[in-house]
């Protein structure tokens, strides 16, 4: 029923030496790398999210081995799964706050792009900005899709707690859970692709400037 979601983060790039007097590109560098730092909270949520997801999967597998004579155990396990879902919802809140803070910092480069005199550098900066916008929208879609997935999971476990359980209702809900999770996987792939694209576009931008950077 489940497949682990893996998310990738932004690449951190270090400035080896700054020129005397901050240039436009150096100012942009400061906002870009601060945006990376602000996503650290987002990155730190991924392991506990995956662990809770694995925990829920194990609970679900155990429930599928039980019969109606084990209703008390089923209810107890379903409650554990519901608690796991609530914990994931809390992690998602922290994750989104981190992404939003990073996006807010990143947006500070937009008014600086027009100040870049070199046409190639300005073009690279615009492309980088557009890709980051796409990445943020991809994240919002992933976040919203995952929230619906959690709500579907929740509905399934509430259903499993009912003593007058109808098999058709359970089958229908499981189908809904699986269909939504396919959407989560698709949204996650899009987010990962746009993250890769942004990391590459940021490197291209830096390499077109006179900034002296090193890649971590």
């Amino acid at each position: 029923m489940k497949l682990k979601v893996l998310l990738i983060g932004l690449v951190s790039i270090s400035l080896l030496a700054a020129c005397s007097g901050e240039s436009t590109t150096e100012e942009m560098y400061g906002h870009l790398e601060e945006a990376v730092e602000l996503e650290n909270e987002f990155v730190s949520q991924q392991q506990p999210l995956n662990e809770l997801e694995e925990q829920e999967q194990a609970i679900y597998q155990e429930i599928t081995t039980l019969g109606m004579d084990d209703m008390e155990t089923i209810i107890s396990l379903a409650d554990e799964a519901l608690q796991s879902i609530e914990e994931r919802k809390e992690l998602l809140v922290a994750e989104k706050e981190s992404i939003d803070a990073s996006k807010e910092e990143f947006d500070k480069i937009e008014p600086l792009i027009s100040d870049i005199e070199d046409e190639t550098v300005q073009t690279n900066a615009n492309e980088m900005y557009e890709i980051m916008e796409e990445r943020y929208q991809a994240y919002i879609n992933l976040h919203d899709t995952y929230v619906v997935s959690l709500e579907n999971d929740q509905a399934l476990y509430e259903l499993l707690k009912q003593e007058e359980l109808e098999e058709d209702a359970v089958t229908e809900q499981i189908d809904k859970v699986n269909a939504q999770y396919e959407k989560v996987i698709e949204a996650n792939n899009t987010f990962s692709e746009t993250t890769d694209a942004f990391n590459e576009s940021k490197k291209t931008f830096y390499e077109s400037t006179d900034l002296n950077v090193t890649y971590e």
Side-chain angles (χ1 to χ4, degrees):
M1 185 178 69
K2 288 293 181 186
L3 180 63
K4 185 186 294 185
V5 176
L6 298 175
L7 300 177
I8 59 174
L10 300 182
V11 172
S12 177
I13 300 176
S14 298
L15 186 64
L16 292 179
C19 303
S20 58
E22 188 175 52
S23 66
T24 299
T25 52
E26 285 173 334
E27 188 176 352
M28 290 174 67
Y29 168 88
H31 294 308
L32 288 167
E33 298 312 312
E34 176 62 20
V36 175
E37 290 298 316
L38 289 168
E39 278 202 22
N40 283 341
E41 184 66 20
F42 159 77
V43 174
S44 70
Q45 304 307 311
Q46 303 317 304
Q47 184 176 345
L49 272 170
N50 284 328
E51 288 175 354
L52 287 168
E53 194 164 290
E54 290 173 356
Q55 180 188 73
E56 184 203 326
Q57 175 64 7
I59 291 170
Y60 176 77
Q61 293 297 336
E62 187 172 353
I63 288 176
T64 61
T65 67
L66 302 173
M68 295 307 294
D69 293 340
D70 304 302
M71 200 62 206
E72 187 175 330
T73 303
I74 290 173
I75 291 173
S76 176
L77 288 169
D79 283 337
E80 284 184 38
L82 289 168
Q83 177 60 37
S84 171
I85 291 168
E86 289 302 320
E87 290 176 22
R88 274 192 283 163
K89 285 181 178 180
E90 292 176 6
L91 290 174
L92 282 181
V93 170
E95 178 189 274
K96 187 173 184 300
E97 287 176 350
S98 174
I99 289 285
D100 286 342
S102 175
K103 175 65 164 52
E104 183 178 349
E105 182 66 28
F106 175 83
D107 281 344
K108 293 176 182 178
I109 76 165
E110 184 182 20
L112 299 173
I113 295 175
S114 60
D115 294 336
I116 299 173
E117 295 180 0
D118 186 289
E119 186 176 337
T120 299
V121 177
Q122 188 178 85
T123 297
N124 290 338
N126 277 315
E127 289 179 359
M128 175 183 65
Y129 185 82
E130 288 172 6
I131 293 172
M132 185 56 145
E133 289 295 314
E134 291 175 13
R135 177 180 183 265
Y136 180 71
Q137 292 307 316
Y139 170 76
I140 294 301
N141 181 53
L142 172 59
H143 174 272
D144 293 349
T145 304
Y146 196 83
V147 167
V148 174
S149 180
L150 290 179
E151 290 171 350
N152 287 343
D153 287 356
Q154 197 166 13
L156 174 61
Y157 290 111
E158 292 291 358
L159 196 61
L160 291 172
K161 290 172 64 177
Q162 296 178 15
E163 295 195 16
E164 299 297 325
L165 195 60
E166 295 184 8
E167 186 176 345
D168 288 346
V170 174
T171 300
E172 182 180 346
Q173 187 60 32
I174 289 173
D175 288 343
K176 187 181 292 186
V177 165
N178 289 337
Q180 185 63 27
Y181 209 74
E182 286 300 316
K183 294 180 182 179
V184 171
I185 296 302
E186 184 178 349
N188 179 72
N189 288 339
T190 300
F191 177 70
S192 295
E193 288 166 5
T194 54
T195 299
D196 277 338
F198 173 76
N199 284 330
E200 287 303 313
S201 70
K202 188 171 72 166
K203 286 183 180 180
T204 299
F205 166 68
Y206 282 156
E207 287 167 359
S208 67
T209 70
D210 57 0
L211 295 175
N212 187 12
V213 299
T214 183
Y215 303 113
E216 296 179 5

